[in-house]
Amino acid sequence: MNKKQNITILGASGSIGQSTLDILRRYPDRFSVFALTAYSQVEKLGDLCMQFSPQYAVINGEENAEKLNKLLKSKGCDTQVLCKEDALSFVATHKDTDMVMAAIVGAAGFVSAFAAAECGKKILLANKETLVMGGELFMRAANTHHAAVLPVDSEHNAVFQTLPESVRHEMANGVFSGSLNDKIASILITASGGSFLHTPLNEFEKITPQMAVKHPKWSMGRKISVDSSTMMNKGLEVIEACRLFMLPADKIEVAIHPQSIIHGMTRYTDGSILAQLGTPDMRVPIAHCLGLPERIASGVAALDFFALDKLTFHRPDLQRFPCLRLAFDALKIGGTMPCILNAANEIAVAAFLDNQIRFTQIAQVIEKTMENMPNTTADNVADLLQIDKNARIAADEIIKKFQAA
Ligand code: NDP
Ligand code: MG
């Protein structure tokens, strides 16, 4: 039997982190957990350390680290606790890490995912914001260092499963450098349409954070749930698909498919379309990435075709979902505009969740930030992080103006 795979889970306390650990529990002989990270949930991370005995645990801040250390010592757990700024990158690039689940939410996940790419690690990439803010830089680093980038995002994972064999092989071995474009006609990613697909437009003003974090089909973290309800999530995913699969924007189709059974498809020039179907549960794409090249059990119940009523598809309405239009605009403009879009979205969503702005103002904050920020290029991580920071400041200022008005 092959040697056990050591896995580092960045964002272990989150929704994707939990789903990953749920699968790992089934395969103690196949995987061992090398490091787990969280931001502020000390007790949750403590519980996970007790269950999985990783070598390292990373938490934000000295105070949290001290608390976690005490907790672990009192239970006889000898996991080493880290909290310094470079701790996430340290565990992601450690020589004993074989694969990295990148499941931190937002731009905060970029640096550690990038470090893993530069180190040639196998990366199970859930953190789509990495590809939106700096996809070109990230993919260049991954290719240079032969880091395999396996898509965890369900639509991208679905597309990946339906790609030509040679491309899947290249991607799984970290040697993919853009050979897909002339092999296919297009790819298609589906969208559930979120919670407000049929809500009358004049009621959008009254949408509360509690309403927006409830997703009709998927159980996810708060930020991505709001992104799904504005459909920014699909916008981020179109940019993610362009970067990951190295395809031009006109080769990516989006269809609203409220049943969320087909997740992604590939159209071939002969008229064939290959699709991936499954119950909407993130353990399916996670198990696919973990098991490659084999298939392993995800714990998800088999899809019952006879319980399905119908599968429907329609075009997204860009008036109803201006965030999706803004993402298409950012992609067309290129340069650092996707990074600006992503940063402004994170600030706007956080302000909405904090009841500082209305649901309809999320798109307005992003649009104004995009208008106010110059579009440039970023050839290195330091420049990219500076643009991300500037866009956050610009978005904050716009929110303050909205509040003052
Ligand atoms: P959650 O909010 O559930 O979890 C986020 C994780 O990141 C937590 O472990 C959190 O720690 C940690 N974290 C938050 N902020 C920071 C920070 N500044 N520095 C370091 N760690 C931080 O998110 P999800 O699991 O839902 O999503 C994770 C990523 O996966 C996102 O990029 C999302 O877009 C993507 N994704 C998620 C899907 C889903 O179904 N959930 C589907 C497809 C993609 P703590 O718990 O301590 O706050
Ligand atoms: Mg998705």
Side-chain angles (χ1 to χ4, degrees):
M1 191 180 158
N2 289 340
K3 129 182 182 319
K4 260 197 196 181
Q5 294 280 293
N6 266 343
I7 180 161
T8 282
I9 305 182
L10 306 172
S13 54
S15 164
I16 293 286
Q18 298 288 291
S19 295
T20 307
L21 288 165
D22 191 65
I23 299 167
L24 298 185
R25 259 186 211 106
R26 299 169 163 264
Y27 293 99
D29 298 336
R30 190 168 181 138
F31 302 104
S32 88
V33 176
F34 177 71
L36 295 175
T37 88
Y39 187 67
S40 58
Q41 296 202 70
V42 174
E43 263 140 48
K44 198 162 182 181
L45 185 57
D47 277 352
L48 296 175
C49 290
M50 252 89 81
Q51 288 177 50
F52 292 94
S53 309
Q55 199 152 326
Y56 293 103
V58 181
I59 190 98
N60 180 56
E62 303 266 353
E63 210 177 299
N64 283 336
E66 228 168 87
K67 260 196 236 162
L68 181 59
N69 224 344
K70 244 193 212 156
L71 182 75
L72 294 180
K73 291 276 143 18
S74 74
K75 308 268 182 188
C77 174
D78 58 6
T79 295
Q80 212 176 312
V81 177
L82 307 176
C83 68
K84 293 270 181 311
E85 210 188 317
D86 64 352
L88 293 171
S89 296
F90 171 77
V91 292
T93 60
H94 196 284
K95 68 170 177 34
D96 293 337
T97 290
D98 298 311
M99 56 170 110
V100 176
M101 166 56 82
I104 288 173
V105 62
F110 183 87
V111 171
S112 47
F114 188 84
E118 279 201 307
C119 223
K121 297 295 183 194
K122 183 193 263 193
I123 304 169
L124 283 59
L125 188 66
N127 178 268
K128 64 190 82 184
E129 294 90 347
T130 285
L131 286 173
V132 175
M133 71 184 279
E136 282 141 336
L137 266 181
F138 178 80
M139 291 306 289
R140 207 181 305 146
N143 283 324
T144 307
H145 301 281
H146 301 315
V149 181
L150 304 177
V152 170
D153 208 349
S154 55
E155 300 76 5
H156 305 70
N157 182 271
V159 168
F160 174 62
Q161 294 196 43
T162 61
L163 291 180
E165 165 71 34
S166 61
V167 174
R168 271 187 294 134
H169 186 266
E170 284 174 21
M171 287 181 72
N173 289 287
V175 292
F176 174 62
S177 54
S179 56
L180 182 60
N181 192 12
D182 50 8
K183 290 195 170 74
I184 57 154
S186 65
I187 61 168
L188 188 144
I189 58 176
T190 60
S192 69
S195 309
F196 310 119
L197 189 57
H198 304 295
T199 305
L201 269 179
N202 61 7
E203 287 178 20
F204 270 43
E205 292 275 302
K206 289 183 257 158
I207 293 171
T208 62
Q210 289 77 359
M211 290 157 79
V213 295
K214 269 198 213 119
H215 194 275
K217 293 286 173 193
W218 298 91
S219 156
M220 310 183 285
R222 281 159 69 80
K223 188 257 178 188
I224 184 175
S225 297
V226 177
D227 284 348
S228 296
S229 68
T230 61
M231 282 202 74
M232 176 56 93
N233 185 48
K234 215 44 57 180
L236 299 179
E237 289 185 357
V238 170
I239 303 174
E240 177 186 13
C242 276
R243 302 297 181 246
L244 177 73
F245 300 120
M246 298 184 196
L247 288 174
D250 63 2
K251 286 226 169 166
I252 296 162
E253 302 177 64
V254 176
I256 304 233
H257 168 49
Q259 300 82 16
S260 297
I261 295 297
I262 295 184
H263 306 296
M265 313 193 222
T266 300
R267 251 184 225 280
Y268 288 86
T269 42
D270 61 3
S272 298
I273 298 169
L274 300 191
Q276 186 264 2
L277 289 75
T279 305
D281 186 316
M282 287 307 293
R283 288 176 298 171
V284 175
I286 295 170
H288 174 254
C289 292
L290 284 171
L292 259 180
E294 290 164 33
R295 297 275 178 174
I296 61 173
S298 63
V300 176
L303 179 64
D304 177 4
F305 283 106
F306 304 107
L308 294 176
D309 181 17
K310 56 189 171 190
L311 301 182
T312 58
F313 303 89
H314 56 94
R315 281 181 220 288
D317 174 351
L318 297 188
Q319 240 179 322
R320 173 176 280 270
F321 297 111
C323 284
L324 186 54
R325 170 178 55 80
L326 292 169
F328 288 143
D329 289 349
L331 184 58
K332 207 190 253 168
I333 297 166
T336 50
M337 205 44 88
C339 173
I340 294 166
L341 168 100
N342 179 65
N345 180 56
E346 285 188 29
I347 294 292
V349 169
F352 167 68
L353 285 171
D354 199 28
N355 290 304
Q356 292 177 38
I357 59 171
R358 290 192 299 277
F359 184 77
T360 45
Q361 288 178 316
I362 295 174
Q364 294 169 18
V365 170
I366 300 164
E367 185 152 31
K368 288 212 178 316
T369 309
M370 286 169 67
E371 281 165 15
N372 292 356
M373 290 277 299
N375 184 34
T376 51
T377 51
D379 296 329
N380 57 65
V381 173
D383 287 356
L384 188 72
L385 295 179
Q386 188 59 50
I387 284 153
D388 172 75
K389 194 172 166 190
N390 294 348
R392 282 163 199 272
I393 294 168
D396 263 331
E397 278 166 9
I398 292 157
I399 289 169
K400 283 199 193 102
K401 277 191 198 143
F402 279 176
Q403 287 170 326

